[in-house]
Structure formats: structure tokens, C-alpha cells
Amino acid sequence: MKDYLSQLNESQKLPTVHKNGPVMVIAGAGSGKTRVLTYRIAYLMEMGVDPFSILALTFTNKAAKEMKERIGLIVGETNAKSLWMGTFHSIFARILRSEAECLGYSSNFSIYDTQDSERLISSIIKELKLDKDLYKHRNIRNRISSLKNNLVTVKAYLNNPELVQQDKESRKPMFGKIYQTYVNRCFKASAMDFDDLLLKTNELLNRFPEILAKYQQRFKYIHVDEYQDTNHSQYLIVKALADKFENICVVGDDAQSIYGFRGANIENILSFQKDYPNSSVYRLEQNYRSTQNIVNAANSVISNNLNKLEKKVWTENEIGEKIELSETPTDSEEGRFVASSIFEAKHNLQLQNDQFAVLYRTNAQSRSIEDALRRKNIPFQIYGGLSFYQRKEIKDILAYLRLIINSKDDESLKRVINYPARGIGLTTLEKIQIYSNENNLTLFEVLENINNYEININKGTKDKLFDFFSMIKSFQISNENLNALEILNEVLKRVGIVNLLKNEGTPEAISRVENIEELINAVQDFIEGQKEIVDSSGSLSEFLEDVALITDLDKEVDNTKPKVSLMTIHLAKGLEFSHVYIVGLEEDLFPSALSSTTRSDLEEERRLFYVALTRAMKKVTISYSKTRYRWGKLNDCEPSRFISEIEEKYIKSIKSNYINKNFNKLKSNKLRFEIPERKKPLKSVSGNSTLNSSYIDINQGDIIIHNRFGKGQVISTEGSGGDKKAEVLFKTSGTKKILLKFAKYEKITS
């Protein structure tokens, strides 16, 4: 019966067999916390505890499913099914359906998702005849969600002058009316949104003592996974349910509390011992995942946080390699460094793509990494989102740009004719589409003469259609004398997409603005790179051709083969990889500029870096850029303070032989730099990356690896010295004629 207990070390076993009373398990990264939680529940059941009286709360369905399956293997599938185990929302929805009548709901109440909520809020804003640009439905929904998660009901809101004043100052004096109408409409429809599942459970347990007593008696043993991620509402529910027997076991790691932006309150785990003075605290400090150097480096960073629970994570794993630190001249060079490093490691160490992960602070940073991996023909997968050029805001802007180059592109026109909204609806679009089909005209040609064609569209709408035509036409005229960056800036200024998203102010909108900024940077990077291409002007048509080649490469990726993982650090939590690259270690990027105002925000950013470091099993490489484009302009960057917080004995700087010959040393009192020895390097010689410098000569038949275009064969050369040119057939980029004095490449010697 106890065979499974032999799989635990002593530190893991103690909380597992601790049956009664409050228990907190502080579990360091990679210490086996899920195993402890799983085996503890199985142990309770084998000790005779009724599975119906055990409650286990998780944050993901995946975690609940995996735990239940593992418990089933020990105690039997039937017994495991009797457990109350699931996410906070799923468990509380189950309770609410049983007790719905007490709150005036039917037991089969609907649950509105985010889209349902936003749709309802939009209709309320319209009914109240409010300015939809001022009262943006997503902003309103986020505000309502925040209030509900802090247990602020409509009544509580209206009775709080401070909250009401906040909305008046943000020019939304009617917010209270929207909130009240929204709640009334949901109630009338017998519907709850996701936030209601927490709010109404709190209301249920507070208003009806007999129901609280019922569930206190029911759930004699309560378990909470990732306790550091609980918000105020979740905390109160759990505390109320555990109040009678206090057989509560929480598992978490304060050092991995990284979701403050969505309401998680680290104080919940920090104050556990105050809430339960008789609690037992166990620490899982042995890391089974990472090397000693990685564990020690992570410890040295997190030790700088003041607000924390004391623990010292350690490991018996091998010492392993030091954290490698790379400095690159630009963020694009950073991407190329990462791709080259992965390429080299794969071949030298015989590793698979899925053993590598690239982690970044913001989604927009993926662009330079994606481009570089494509050039190296390294397949990758973006977790939690789309690849850069597939993101909606990027596709929208590219549609405008394509339309400038090719006015016959009907699909691009249809995509942007009413984005941002300019009063051109689907019915109108259908009418001009029918007319264009019947008369063998493009949509753009119809718009050009819209006032002369007999189409059943009112004059006001016809004027809007012609205004759109005129705007695109003016872009086409401007494009004759502008490069790709200049025309892009003109489009963005005139169309107003950036301002529209900025005014929306939601986290999603901010992320989209960051992506647009990165598109500008991509164009600037492209123009700089075109300097080495003979007869190139950096025009819009050249850029769109480059994007087309890039995105076409994605179609050739075999989905069955292992891929490099690209993701934000937030999404990486709970995952592990052999080799991890953490990019963009610069002040105002990581830590983010928004975190520098308060200690609590800065400490959360440091915990985020800790999470990133501890995703790695074998090796961590961190990198930063000396300069980074912001809205197309090159800005100097300062290395992140987190770099200097890693003790110098756990870190070493590296030079990239294929990127930067003039590696400038990081200005830090804490770090000394050394150049590592390379193990089994690829047999190559490098061209110099600096302008007008000497270069390695190449001739017809030579094979080169170019930083931007990947692998290619030299077809022909002409000229000599600083004016020498080479025509190269690249595997993924086609034929390019390059000026060698500008080119960044490696020559493969054989």
C-alpha cells in the first residue's frame, strides 16, 4: 500500500503523511510539489478518509486531470472519480448549481464567457447612447471584472464616493449605470460571468450560514495548488470553507508569484502562518530539475527580494555550465545570435529542437527571434499566440501596405475598408462586390468612380467609400518617393490604428501596440540590411517581398517534427527545457518600465526572472542588446539590474564569433568577463560585421551562411577589394547580389 511513499525523499514525505491540521508546503522550483500534493491525497484516502470529503483546487484543468489520473493509479479509478478536484471556477460553479435557488438563479444558469460579456456591455453602451470611443466595452468589462474580484458589488460601488470619483475623473461618469444594468441583465437572463462564479460563491457562504456549515462539514480536507497565485476572492472562500476543521494544505512558492497583474495576491501565502497559528510548514528545497550553477544563480537573484519566505533551494545534480551572457549591438543581432547558437548546439551536442526554449518579457520580442530561426531553417512553435506576421494588427497594417503596392488586391481592401471603423458596413461591401463581379472591375476601381455608378448606396456612404479610395491613392503617390519606413509611418499616422489601441488601454491593446512598434523596427532593420544588397532602395515593395518569403517558410514546416519553443516567461511557468535562452535583459524592458515605481512591482519582475532561470535543466543563456529600435529610432540600452544580481562565479560572458567582433564589456562592478573555450566548434571562418572592414574573400562555388538570408552558394563574383560583389543563391531567400564590405556572413570551409 505504501510503495508510492518510497518514491519520496524525507522532505517530501513529511507533508505527505501529515494528516490533520493546517499545512503549508513551500516548494522551490523543480522540487516535486505536484507529486507531494498527489500522494498526500492518495495517502488520506488509504487512511480511510472519504474521497467525497476531499477538496482539491487547481488553476488549470490540465493539472487537475493529471493529478486525478495519478491518484487513480494508486487508489483505483472509481475512488479517484469521487474526489472534488478541479479548477476554482469549475468547483465553485458546481456548488452554485446546487444552491442556485438561494440566490434567485435557476440551477441550469448560463455561464457567460468574455465574448458574451463584452457583447452585452456593448449593447448596453449603445442603449444608453454613450460615446463608444470613451466607453470602450473591453475597458468597461475589465473594470467590472476587477471590482467583482475585489468583492465590490454594484451597491458597494455606488456607496463608495472614491470609486465613483475615479470614474468621473476618467470621463466615465456613467460607469455605475453600466455596471448596474449589466448585473441586472445577467440576473434577468439567469446568467453568471466567470467573475460571478467567485463573487456569488462568496455571497452564498456569507449570506447563508447553514450552507457554509454544510460545505464545511462536507470538505473536511482542503488542498490548494499554486497558493501564491490566489486572489482576494479565492482566498476568502478557501478560508471560510476551512474554518471548522482547519485541515487545509496549501502548496506554492512565493518566489514564483508572477501574476499580480491579474489579481494574484502574494500576501495570501506570506500570511498563511498568521491565519493559522498552529500550522506546520514544510520546505521542499531540493531541486531535481536544474544543475547546481543554475540553482545557485537563481538563488542569488531572488535573495534580493525583501518580501519573501525563507528557503534555500539546492540540488544534487551536476555542477553544470555557467550562465552564459551575450551582448549584441542590436536586438536583430540578438535574434541572429540566438538562432546561430541553437544551430551550433544542435549539431555539436546532437540535440533535438524541442530541447530549446527562447523566453522573452513581451510578445513583440518574438519577431527578431522568429526571423532569425526561419533564416537558419530551424522550426519553431509560439506558445499562447500566433507568429508575428499572423497577428491581427500586423495583418491589418500589411493589408494597407499591400493595397498601396497593388490596388487590385481585393482581399486586402476588404480587410481594411472599415478598420478602423469608418461607417462602411458588410451590406455596403456586398453591394460593391456584386457590382465589381458583374462589371469585371476590381473593388478599388469601383470605389474610384463610386459616385458615377448606379449602386443602391446612399450618398453619405458613397462619400465615405470615395474618401477611403482617396486616402489609398494619396499613399500610392507618396510611396513613389518614400522608403518602406517612411510610407509605413505615414499610413499609421493617417489611419490612426495606434491611437485607437492606446485609447482602448487594455492589456491586449497594449500588447498590440507593442507589436506595431516592433513592425516599425522590423522595417527599419530591413532597410539597414538592404544596404548590402546591390541596387536596393529599401522600398515598400522590397519589404513586402521579404515578408512574403519569410511567411512562406512557415508553410514548409513539418508539424510532426520537434520545434524550438518560443514564449513569454509567464507562459513558461510549470514547464522545463534542456537549454533556455532569456532575451532582452535590459532596463525598462526586463524589468519593465512600469515596474520601477514600486518595490512590490519590481520584486514581482525579479520573481519572473527567477521563474525564467529555473525552467532550464542543463544550460541558460541570457542576452541583452546595446541598442534597440523604438518606433523605428535606435536607442541606447542599459543592461538589466538582474544581470549584476547573479553572483559572478555563476556567470561568464561569451563572444559571438559570427556576430560581433568588437564585443564591449558590460559595465558592472560585479562581473568579470572571460571568453569560454568552444567545444567541437563548427568548422567555419567568419566575416566581419562592422562597416567597411576587411572581410573573408569568397568565390564562385563557395558555401556561406548569411546572418539574414541563411545558407547559400556563390554563383558569381565581380569587382575586387572594397567594391567586390557576389551573387548568391540562398536556400530560403532566393538569389541576392550582395556587397561584401557590408555583408555579415560565415564562409563554410568544408
Side-chain angles (χ1 to χ4, degrees):
M1 154 173 128
K2 306 291 189 308
D3 287 345
Y4 60 93
L5 294 178
S6 64
Q7 300 174 30
L8 303 174
N9 64 33
E10 196 59 32
S11 297
Q12 294 169 331
K13 191 180 294 182
L14 289 171
T16 301
V17 300
H18 186 126
K19 185 177 178 183
N20 295 317
V23 173
M24 178 167 66
V25 183
I26 306 301
S31 63
K33 70 172 180 65
T34 305
R35 174 176 286 191
V36 168
L37 201 57
T38 304
Y39 287 2
R40 176 182 161 85
I41 294 170
Y43 179 81
L44 288 173
M45 292 167 69
E46 292 204 324
M47 289 294 100
V49 176
D50 185 348
F52 284 95
S53 68
I54 298 174
L55 172 64
L57 298 166
T58 66
F59 275 87
T60 65
N61 287 313
K62 181 173 177 281
K65 183 173 179 286
E66 287 177 358
M67 284 171 62
K68 195 172 270 191
E69 285 174 354
R70 288 165 71 173
I71 292 167
L73 293 173
I74 299 170
V75 300
E77 195 176 325
T78 304
N79 281 329
K81 283 182 178 178
S82 301
L83 289 165
W84 279 62
M85 178 178 282
T87 62
F88 285 88
H89 288 91
S90 67
I91 293 294
F92 297 162
R94 188 174 172 185
I95 292 173
L96 287 168
R97 290 204 185 280
S98 298
E99 314 296 341
E101 290 182 6
C102 297
L103 298 172
Y105 290 82
S106 63
S107 61
N108 61 343
F109 62 83
S110 301
I111 298 176
Y112 283 178
D113 61 18
T114 301
Q115 199 172 28
D116 296 326
S117 296
E118 288 182 356
R119 196 179 294 115
L120 175 56
I121 290 167
S122 285
S123 66
I124 293 168
I125 291 167
K126 192 174 181 179
E127 288 169 22
L128 294 174
K129 296 183 170 58
L130 299 173
D131 185 346
K132 64 180 182 182
D133 291 327
L134 197 58
Y135 292 88
K136 295 183 180 295
H137 63 272
R138 282 182 184 160
N139 289 12
I140 300 296
R141 193 201 72 81
N142 288 342
R143 174 75 162 150
I144 291 172
S145 175
S146 176
L147 290 170
K148 285 185 175 184
N149 281 320
N150 285 289
L151 306 180
V152 180
T153 61
V154 171
K155 186 178 179 181
Y157 171 83
L158 295 173
N159 290 329
N160 189 320
E162 191 176 324
L163 289 174
V164 173
Q165 186 60 31
Q166 281 176 10
D167 290 310
K168 283 182 180 176
E169 288 175 359
S170 64
R171 300 195 301 152
K172 298 182 186 70
M174 293 293 287
F175 170 80
K177 181 67 176 175
I178 299 171
Y179 188 11
Q180 190 170 43
T181 308
Y182 173 75
V183 169
N184 291 342
R185 290 283 178 82
C186 286
F187 185 74
K188 185 181 176 183
S190 194
M192 296 186 195
D193 60 25
F194 279 133
D195 301 307
D196 282 329
L197 297 177
L198 301 182
L199 180 68
K200 298 296 180 183
T201 302
N202 263 303
E203 184 185 341
L204 185 74
L205 301 180
N206 276 310
R207 281 180 56 194
F208 304 97
E210 69 280 8
I211 292 176
L212 172 60
K214 171 184 169 182
Y215 286 99
Q216 285 178 334
Q217 188 63 36
R218 175 72 181 267
F219 301 129
K220 292 184 175 69
Y221 292 88
I222 297 172
H223 300 79
V224 185
D225 192 22
E226 305 286 6
Y227 192 62
Q228 78 279 352
D229 294 334
T230 52
N231 63 24
H232 184 57
S233 186
Q234 291 162 334
Y235 162 79
L236 289 177
I237 295 169
V238 170
K239 195 167 186 314
L241 291 172
D243 200 43
K244 182 175 182 179
F245 294 104
E246 292 196 345
N247 291 325
I248 178 172
C249 174
V250 302
V251 180
D253 182 6
D254 59 300
Q256 297 187 67
S257 178
I258 59 174
Y259 296 117
F261 66 95
R262 66 184 191 195
N265 187 357
I266 192 173
E267 287 301 321
N268 294 346
I269 193 168
L270 296 177
S271 303
F272 185 84
Q273 288 171 279
K274 291 180 185 174
D275 292 336
Y276 303 95
N278 299 321
S279 61
S280 298
V281 178
Y282 299 96
R283 289 174 171 80
L284 306 184
E285 297 174 316
Q286 184 175 359
N287 178 299
Y288 290 94
R289 176 187 299 151
S290 309
T291 64
Q292 290 182 29
N293 262 313
I294 294 171
V295 169
N296 292 337
N299 283 342
S300 67
V301 170
I302 205 65
S303 66
N304 289 274
N305 273 6
L306 299 180
N307 201 19
K308 63 182 186 294
L309 296 167
E310 288 303 321
K311 67 176 180 298
K312 186 70 173 176
V313 180
W314 58 279
T315 184
E316 291 181 344
N317 294 342
E318 63 181 343
I319 295 175
E321 295 185 56
K322 290 184 178 184
I323 308 291
E324 290 190 344
L325 171 66
S326 166
E327 175 197 85
T328 54
T330 67
D331 49 328
S332 294
E333 294 280 16
E334 181 180 48
R336 292 191 270 272
F337 157 71
V338 170
S340 296
S341 177
I342 292 173
F343 182 84
E344 186 174 318
K346 275 177 59 182
H347 288 82
N348 290 342
L349 304 174
Q350 301 300 303
L351 300 174
Q352 295 293 316
N353 287 316
D354 58 2
Q355 292 176 271
F356 298 89
V358 185
L359 309 182
Y360 34 78
R361 182 64 182 84
T362 65
N363 272 306
Q365 291 170 258
S366 75
R367 195 271 310 170
S368 62
I369 309 296
E370 289 179 50
D371 286 358
L373 290 172
R374 288 188 188 100
R375 304 293 190 193
K376 288 284 187 184
N377 203 26
I378 300 172
F380 61 87
Q381 179 177 353
I382 295 192
Y383 279 76
L386 299 166
S387 63
F388 183 79
Y389 292 105
Q390 294 303 314
R391 294 168 191 170
K392 179 188 178 302
E393 58 280 5
I394 302 302
K395 293 185 78 169
D396 290 336
I397 295 167
L398 289 177
Y400 273 105
L401 300 181
R402 289 192 184 103
L403 199 55
I404 294 169
I405 298 299
N406 176 19
S407 59
K408 295 180 180 180
D409 187 345
D410 283 357
E411 291 308 307
S412 289
L413 186 146
K414 285 190 285 188
R415 185 177 183 97
V416 299
I417 193 168
N418 199 42
Y419 183 76
R422 46 179 69 92
I424 302 170
L426 288 173
T427 305
T428 299
L429 194 55
E430 285 172 6
K431 288 176 181 178
I432 62 173
Q433 181 75 71
I434 291 168
Y435 190 88
S436 75
N437 293 342
E438 289 175 347
N439 294 275
N440 198 27
L441 297 168
T442 67
L443 293 177
F444 197 73
E445 288 170 335
V446 175
L447 298 188
E448 186 174 11
N449 295 288
I450 191 69
N451 291 309
N452 302 325
Y453 294 141
E454 294 199 8
I455 306 174
N456 186 23
I457 299 173
N458 65 52
K459 187 177 183 309
T461 304
K462 281 187 174 181
D463 289 344
K464 291 172 184 174
L465 291 167
F466 190 74
D467 287 346
F468 177 78
F469 163 81
S470 301
M471 179 178 68
I472 300 300
K473 196 70 182 175
S474 70
F475 290 153
Q476 290 174 338
I477 294 167
S478 296
N479 186 51
E480 293 173 7
N481 300 307
L482 301 177
N483 66 25
L485 181 63
E486 291 165 336
I487 191 66
L488 172 60
N489 283 328
E490 186 171 313
V491 169
L492 290 174
K493 186 178 178 180
R494 183 107 174 251
V495 171
I497 293 176
V498 174
N499 285 336
L500 181 74
L501 292 169
K502 281 183 176 178
N503 290 336
E504 190 173 309
T506 63
E508 294 84 1
I510 292 167
S511 179
R512 287 180 175 177
V513 171
E514 289 171 346
N515 285 330
I516 294 171
E517 179 186 356
E518 187 56 33
L519 178 63
I520 296 171
N521 300 339
V523 175
Q524 178 61 61
D525 181 53
F526 168 79
I527 291 171
E528 288 297 314
Q530 289 300 93
K531 290 176 181 178
E532 64 183 88
I533 307 297
V534 179
D535 299 328
S536 171
S537 60
S539 67
L540 180 58
S541 59
E542 289 175 358
F543 174 70
L544 291 176
E545 182 184 338
D546 196 64
V547 171
L549 286 169
I550 286 171
T551 52
D552 192 57
L553 294 177
D554 291 340
K555 298 174 186 175
E556 299 174 9
V557 174
D558 186 348
N559 288 323
T560 63
K561 289 185 177 178
K563 300 177 185 65
V564 174
S565 298
L566 272 60
M567 68 190 83
T568 63
I569 303 166
H570 282 102
L571 286 175
K573 189 169 176 289
L575 304 177
E576 61 182 29
F577 303 91
S578 176
H579 288 52
V580 170
Y581 293 81
I582 310 168
V583 299
L585 263 294
E586 299 140 32
E587 287 292 305
D588 296 337
L589 181 57
F590 194 17
S592 79
L594 298 173
S595 71
S596 58
T597 54
T598 67
R599 175 177 289 281
S600 62
D601 287 344
L602 181 60
E603 291 200 347
E604 178 151 325
E605 288 287 296
R606 187 175 284 113
R607 292 194 294 270
L608 193 59
F609 185 47
Y610 175 86
V611 167
L613 287 171
T614 55
R615 296 314 90 200
M617 293 184 284
K618 296 291 185 184
K619 184 175 179 180
V620 174
T621 303
I622 59 177
S623 63
Y624 73 97
S625 300
K626 291 179 69 180
T627 58
R628 188 173 292 270
Y629 283 109
R630 299 297 309 271
W631 299 103
K633 295 179 180 178
L634 203 60
N635 289 278
D636 290 334
C637 298
E638 182 184 347
S640 169
R641 70 192 72 188
F642 298 153
I643 297 173
S644 61
E645 290 176 359
I646 301 173
E647 287 186 34
E648 66 176 81
K649 60 185 174 183
Y650 305 128
I651 189 170
K652 65 181 179 183
S653 77
I654 59 170
K655 285 186 185 180
S656 170
N657 287 343
Y658 29 76
I659 292 183
N660 186 15
K661 292 294 183 181
N662 301 307
F663 188 88
N664 292 319
K665 293 181 169 41
L666 175 63
K667 295 174 183 178
S668 169
N669 294 326
K670 282 197 171 188
L671 289 170
R672 290 195 306 271
F673 289 84
E674 55 191 275
I675 302 173
E677 293 182 9
R678 288 190 175 272
K679 297 178 181 178
K680 302 178 183 177
L682 290 172
K683 198 175 180 184
S684 66
V685 289
S686 295
N688 225 329
S689 66
T690 53
L691 199 63
N692 292 316
S693 62
S694 60
Y695 55 84
I696 299 296
D697 197 19
I698 55 175
N699 296 292
Q700 185 178 354
D702 286 341
I703 306 295
I704 67 169
I705 296 179
H706 189 279
N707 273 0
R708 282 181 64 207
F709 307 127
K711 193 174 182 180
Q713 184 172 23
V714 180
I715 300 171
S716 63
T717 61
E718 60 181 272
S720 60
D723 294 323
K724 188 168 183 178
K725 305 167 186 174
E727 190 171 7
V728 185
L729 175 61
F730 292 102
K731 185 178 179 182
T732 57
S733 306
T735 302
K736 305 282 183 185
K737 186 175 279 189
I738 60 176
L739 283 163
L740 297 192
K741 68 179 178 181
F742 292 109
K744 302 173 185 178
Y745 62 91
E746 299 173 58
K747 175 182 169 184
I748 307 300
T749 58
S750 68

